Amino acid sequence: MSFRKPKNRKEICYPFIYESALTCDYEIHTDELCSLVGMALATLPEGFDDVREDLETLHPKIYHLNGSVRGKTAIFEEDLEWLHARYDYYNELSRGRINRFVLPRGPVGVMALHQCRTGSKKTVRLLHRLDESGVTFEPELPRFANLLANFFFVLTVYIKMKLDVEEVEFVSLSY
């Protein structure tokens, strides 16, 4: 079978879906990450207004991250400064809670944030692959994506602490 671009626009889910470039894969992935943030918002436990407000601020920034490779850069130093401040806020509130490697567990809202965390790591990897392939973009993008992964992790720690959910240590047999 020959895989061809359909003539009917209703049969095309994304304008760039038939590109062979990694740019399309990056855009589809960051679209998924944006959906995962929406899932995290939908499953966030009650009583976490600070987290909800931050996720609502962050949510559109994921689509800005999405479009910043093919289009104009829409992630700026100010976005990094904001995310650093929010990371520091939750990290300080949960200081001392984690001092080892833990298994990704918890209530549904926490697990949605773990999916966001791993999705952010995939974003970093795709940005690295794009860079290797010669695609140019601003250095704020991988910095933001890396920080995003760490931010989502610290949110899981904070929420589990507030819900009194125990962290389960993971001891590797490999390292």
Side-chain angles (χ1 to χ4, degrees):
M1 176 179 129
S2 170
F3 199 64
R4 294 190 186 128
K5 184 176 178 179
K7 293 184 187 335
N8 187 331
R9 290 177 48 99
K10 291 187 284 185
E11 296 176 8
I12 300 173
C13 63
Y14 186 58
F16 307 109
I17 199 72
Y18 291 97
E19 282 185 356
S20 59
L22 282 173
T23 307
C24 181
D25 298 295
Y26 169 80
E27 291 164 342
I28 291 169
H29 169 71
T30 49
D31 183 30
E32 178 182 18
L33 180 56
C34 195
S35 296
L36 290 171
V37 173
M39 184 188 333
L41 277 163
T43 58
L44 188 65
E46 293 295 320
F48 289 92
D49 295 340
D50 50 355
V51 176
R52 178 169 304 285
E53 184 178 324
D54 287 339
L55 290 176
E56 286 176 352
T57 299
L58 186 61
H59 203 191
K61 291 182 189 307
I62 305 302
Y63 270 157
H64 291 313
L65 185 63
N66 173 297
S68 289
V69 170
R70 187 185 302 270
K72 290 189 320 187
T73 300
I75 294 292
F76 306 103
E77 192 64 38
E78 304 84 59
D79 298 310
L80 279 154
E81 290 168 6
W82 174 82
L83 193 53
H84 272 284
R86 300 317 295 155
Y87 173 91
D88 291 344
Y89 169 79
Y90 294 108
N91 196 46
E92 182 60 33
L93 290 174
S94 58
R95 179 180 298 284
R97 173 112 167 132
I98 299 287
N99 57 10
R100 62 207 186 280
F101 199 83
V102 296
L103 291 170
R105 291 188 181 176
V108 173
V110 168
M111 292 313 300
L113 289 167
H114 275 299
Q115 288 294 308
C116 293
R117 176 184 59 81
T118 60
S120 298
K121 288 180 178 182
K122 291 176 187 176
T123 302
V124 174
R125 284 296 299 162
L126 282 166
L127 286 166
H128 175 69
R129 298 287 312 279
L130 284 162
D131 181 60
E132 284 184 329
S133 74
V135 174
T136 59
F137 47 82
E138 295 300 320
E140 287 81 7
L141 302 185
R143 290 175 56 213
F144 187 82
N146 272 290
L147 181 55
L148 203 53
N150 294 330
F151 174 72
F152 287 129
F153 179 75
V154 79
L155 284 182
T156 69
V157 173
Y158 170 72
I159 291 170
K160 287 171 72 174
M161 179 191 74
K162 296 283 283 184
L163 294 175
D164 201 28
V165 174
E166 183 181 340
E167 297 287 359
V168 177
E169 183 176 8
F170 172 74
V171 179
S172 176
L173 298 176
S174 303
Y175 300 101

